[in-house]
């Protein structure tokens, strides 16, 4: 079993208190590795290292070209190790291999995207009513804490580190205590590429043990968080001490709306993919399926036929389309929602159980589950379940579809299926969400901003918008009047 260490200040560290956590494969419970379990004292050491690296200028004062080239080298190294990284991701978080391969490739692309962007950070010159040259420069914010979840471990690390580094910040990344292995593999890549000490620090630990301290610590200038909305609220509260910058990418209860004029087969496929990709453990999952009444019954029937093709198993096994949930506790949470759905009177049309058989007995598997005849007030239609549970709601017309879609505290993503482009755009224009798709669901691009309205968070990741979250804005005024002001 591999014993990982944390990367702090360019050196490998164990937790000061010596605590370690065993990381297991959620598909079979096998121990994979052990990692340090950091506490507030370890966070303090990481902050000191990141602070020293920032203040010394060893990173922010390198040329943007050099920073960009470094990010390209990280992208290349990820690609070189992509086979092992994808397998490690599958074993640690449970997703099917094809999905992990996609994530690893996308993580490399993200470093490359921001490597290119590093040289395109620029300010502006303004005409002001004075004899002055006045301009604006963009500068890094400083030391950034980055707290990420367990559903896309390496990809979330890339989304956080790449823009922050391109902008010249120094970072302390904390992966989820459940899925730290690919982030620690990335630490090894960064170590071997000999980035200046302290520019990237990767520490492992729980939310209570290390995450809270990262959100609170006065030596940190910005905290970027992806995770649950309740935790996001705590992070924001903890960050008030020194009023650090905060960006939050939180949960969703995303509507996926199918009109009767949609391409039926494409929409059936899209509805299942929206709900069940990555076991439904996706913030942007289309977990509320809104179907026009006239096609509601045949649509659900068609989904029931096709759902048979979602093969459960270990993500490394051939043909597997759905792995286990990430942990026993998380499966229990999802199962509790299945009981809630039944008690609320929704119709369970498939799934709802743990799959039978020896192959599943040691892992946290759950069948893909569909509830039909869900009403918008039910908890399974309002609360993020974050598992393979789809709530189907029938609607009468376009106005009702929009009303139900927006009747949520969240505002992360939405999908619309229709062959009428006028209708598609009309609906998208009324949806209060940051990410929308027409006749597709889930494609995500490094070029486009990612983030939500309402309680799905604030700030945006990816694209030009993503780097804005890691930049300060400074005005510079150069007086061209040689005579003194003469005010006094
Ligand atoms: O996530 P947490 P959990 C949602 C989903 C899920 C629920 C809870 O609904 O069921 O959140 O999942 C760190 N201060 N999402 O408990 O707690 C933690 O160590 C600072 C949506 O696993 O949000 C981990 O690194 N940090 C989501 C990270 O926060 C704290 C992805 C995420 O953990 C902390 C995952 C604290 N007080 C879950 N407490 C998405 N938006 O994609 C925990 N952490």
């Amino acid at each position: 079993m591999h014993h990982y260490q944390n990367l702090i200040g360019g050196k490998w560290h164990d937790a000061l208190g010596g605590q370690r956590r065993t990381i297991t494969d959620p598909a079979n419970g096998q121990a994979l590795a052990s990692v340090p379990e950091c506490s507030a004292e370890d966070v303090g050491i990481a902050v000191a290292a990141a602070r020293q690296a920032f203040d010394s200028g060893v990173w922010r004062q390198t040329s943007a070209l050099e920073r960009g080239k470094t990010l390209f080298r990280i992208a290349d190294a990820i690609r070189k190790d992509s086979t092992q990284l994808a397998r490690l991701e599958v074993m640690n978080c449970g997703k099917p291999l094809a999905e992990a391969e996609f994530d690893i490739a996308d993580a490399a692309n993200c470093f490359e995207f921001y490597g290119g962007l590093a040289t395109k950070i620029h300010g502006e010159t303004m005409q002001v009513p004075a004899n002055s040259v006045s301009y604006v420069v963009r500068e890094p914010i400083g030391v950034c804490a980055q707290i990420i979840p367990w559903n896309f471990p390496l990809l979330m690390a890339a989304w956080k580190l790449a823009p922050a580094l391109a902008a010249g910040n120094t970072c302390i990344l904390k992966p989820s205590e459940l899925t730290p292995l690919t982030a620690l593999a990335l630490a090894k890549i960064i170590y071997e590429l000999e980035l200046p000490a302290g520019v990237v620090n990767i520490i492992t630990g729980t939310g209570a043990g290390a995450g809270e301290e990262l959100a609170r610590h006065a030596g940190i200038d910005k905290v970027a968080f992806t995770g649950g909305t309740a935790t996001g609220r705590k992070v924001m509260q903890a960050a008030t001490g020194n009023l650090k910058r905060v960006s939050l990418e939180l949960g969703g209860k995303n509507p996926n709306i199918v009109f009767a004029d949609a391409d039926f087969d494409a929409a059936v496929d899209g509805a299942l993919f929206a709900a069940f990709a990555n076991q439904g453990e996706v913030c942007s999952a289309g977990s509320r399926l809104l179907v026009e009444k006239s096609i509601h019954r045949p649509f659900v029937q068609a989904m029931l036929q096709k759902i048979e093709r979602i093969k459960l198993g270990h993500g490394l096994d051939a043909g597997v389309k759905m792995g286990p949930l990430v942990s026993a506790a998380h499966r229990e949470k999802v199962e509790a929602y299945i009981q809630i759905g039944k008690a609320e009177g929704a119709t369970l049309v498939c799934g709802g159980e743990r799959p039978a058989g020896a192959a599943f007995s040691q892992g946290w598997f759950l069948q893909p589950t569909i509830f039909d005849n869900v009403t918008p007030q039910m908890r399974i239609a309002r609360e993020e379940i974050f598992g393979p549970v789809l709530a189907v709601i029938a609607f009468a017309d376009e106005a009702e579809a929009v009303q139900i879609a927006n009747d949520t505290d969240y505002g992360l993503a939405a999908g619309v299926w229709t062959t009428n482009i006028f209708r598609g755009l009309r609906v998208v224009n009324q949806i209060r969400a940051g990410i929308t798709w027409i006749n597709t669901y889930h494609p995500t691009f490094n070029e486009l901003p990612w983030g939500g309205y309402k309680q799905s968070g604030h700030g945006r990741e990816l694209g030009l918008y993503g780097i804005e979250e890691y930049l300060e804005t400074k005005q510079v005024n150069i007086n061209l009047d040689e005579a003194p002001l003469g005010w006094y």
Side-chain angles (χ1 to χ4, degrees):
M1 192 167 76
H2 192 78
H3 293 267
Y4 286 88
Q5 291 181 297
N6 286 170
L7 182 64
I8 302 177
K11 295 200 168 67
W12 295 112
H13 281 254
D14 287 317
L16 278 179
Q19 294 91 340
R20 299 192 73 81
R21 168 182 290 255
T22 301
I23 304 299
T24 55
D25 183 334
N28 54 28
Q30 275 174 17
L32 297 171
S34 87
V35 304
E37 186 94 311
C38 287
S39 62
E41 290 76 51
D42 300 289
V43 169
I45 297 174
V47 174
R51 188 84 256 161
Q52 151 73 17
F54 185 78
D55 292 345
S56 71
V58 67
W59 183 247
R60 69 188 158 91
Q61 288 174 350
T62 54
S63 69
L65 184 65
E66 274 311 311
R67 291 201 301 276
K69 282 181 180 171
T70 303
L71 296 197
F72 292 150
R73 285 160 59 220
I74 296 174
D76 288 344
I78 291 174
R79 288 201 184 100
K80 191 162 101 8
D81 290 353
S82 60
T83 304
Q84 301 94 294
L85 286 169
R87 293 180 67 84
L88 194 59
E89 200 77 301
V90 170
M91 288 189 287
N92 195 174
C93 73
K95 64 178 69 196
L97 183 61
E99 294 186 23
E101 286 170 345
F102 186 88
D103 293 355
I104 304 304
D106 214 24
N109 292 342
C110 182
F111 276 104
E112 208 158 63
F113 177 83
Y114 282 107
L117 207 54
T119 51
K120 283 105 198 155
I121 300 167
H122 50 72
E124 287 177 289
T125 306
M126 273 78 170
Q127 298 291 328
V128 298
N131 188 11
S132 160
V133 172
S134 299
Y135 61 92
V136 167
V137 291
R138 310 305 306 279
E139 297 184 340
I141 293 176
V143 174
C144 300
Q146 304 180 308
I147 302 172
I148 57 173
W150 40 259
N151 51 347
F152 293 88
L154 189 74
L155 189 58
M156 290 301 106
W159 284 21
K160 294 279 182 286
L161 289 172
L165 295 174
N169 298 280
T170 60
C171 301
I172 305 161
L173 178 85
K174 191 196 84 63
S176 164
E177 57 273 32
L178 299 175
T179 58
L181 300 188
T182 49
L184 292 172
L186 179 63
K188 181 163 170 278
I189 286 174
I190 285 166
Y191 178 81
E192 287 170 356
L193 290 175
E194 297 181 353
L195 264 70
V199 170
V200 177
N201 305 277
I202 299 187
I203 64 170
T204 48
T206 61
E212 275 180 31
E213 181 67 4
L214 285 169
R216 192 200 59 76
H217 201 294
I220 293 174
D221 303 297
K222 184 216 158 87
V223 59
F225 172 80
T226 298
T229 294
T231 310
R233 200 167 276 122
K234 285 191 204 161
V235 166
M236 195 160 165
Q237 278 162 357
T240 56
N242 67 335
L243 294 176
K244 57 173 70 67
R245 309 288 181 268
V246 179
S247 54
L248 303 172
E249 204 270 87
L250 307 176
K253 190 73 189 180
N254 310 291
N256 192 17
I257 309 169
V258 181
F259 286 98
D261 66 3
D263 176 328
F264 190 86
D265 292 339
V268 168
D269 210 45
L272 293 174
F273 184 60
F276 299 122
N278 206 51
Q279 299 78 239
E281 296 167 326
V282 187
C283 52
S284 54
S287 52
R288 283 190 296 153
L289 181 66
L290 278 49
V291 185
E292 191 161 355
K293 274 193 178 130
S294 59
I295 59 160
H296 168 215
R297 297 286 166 223
F299 198 88
V300 171
Q301 282 309 315
M303 285 200 299
L304 291 179
Q305 278 177 10
K306 206 156 198 192
I307 208 168
E308 301 291 327
R309 297 195 199 171
I310 300 181
K311 182 180 169 193
L312 267 74
H314 194 294
L316 292 178
D317 291 344
V320 164
K321 297 280 187 209
M322 188 185 283
L325 299 190
V326 74
S327 68
H330 188 57
R331 180 170 69 173
E332 278 165 23
K333 176 191 155 178
V334 176
E335 287 177 327
Y337 272 107
I338 292 172
Q339 294 314 318
I340 289 168
K342 288 180 187 169
E344 286 178 314
T347 315
L348 181 70
V349 290
C350 73
E353 303 285 336
R354 301 176 181 184
F360 303 111
S361 62
Q362 302 302 311
W364 317 125
F365 292 95
L366 191 61
Q367 294 170 340
T369 299
I370 300 179
F371 277 106
D372 196 5
N373 302 319
V374 176
T375 62
Q377 295 317 313
M378 291 180 182
R379 285 181 64 192
I380 59 166
R382 306 198 74 79
E383 297 174 22
E384 187 181 53
I385 300 174
F386 219 67
V389 181
L390 176 62
V392 183
I393 304 171
F395 67 84
D397 56 22
E398 191 178 310
E400 193 187 23
V402 170
Q403 186 272 322
I404 296 171
N406 283 333
D407 181 15
T408 168
D409 291 337
Y410 294 110
L412 189 58
V416 182
W417 298 81
T418 173
T419 49
N420 178 344
I421 191 61
F422 301 106
R423 188 209 296 267
L425 287 174
R426 214 164 43 227
V427 171
V428 156
N429 288 344
Q430 295 174 80
I431 296 282
R432 304 284 298 157
I435 304 154
T436 59
W437 293 286
I438 297 178
N439 294 332
T440 186
Y441 205 98
H442 274 326
T444 304
F445 302 101
N446 286 310
E447 293 75 8
L448 297 180
W450 183 271
Y453 289 20
K454 302 195 270 182
Q455 292 188 33
S456 290
H458 13 108
R460 290 292 179 272
E461 302 197 271
L462 299 184
L464 301 181
Y465 298 85
I467 206 159
E468 287 293 323
E469 303 288 334
Y470 289 99
L471 289 167
E472 284 286 11
T473 303
K474 177 187 279 177
Q475 59 164 288
V476 181
N477 290 281
I478 307 168
N479 173 36
L480 297 180
D481 268 343
E482 291 178 58
L485 179 61
W487 193 274
Y488 298 109

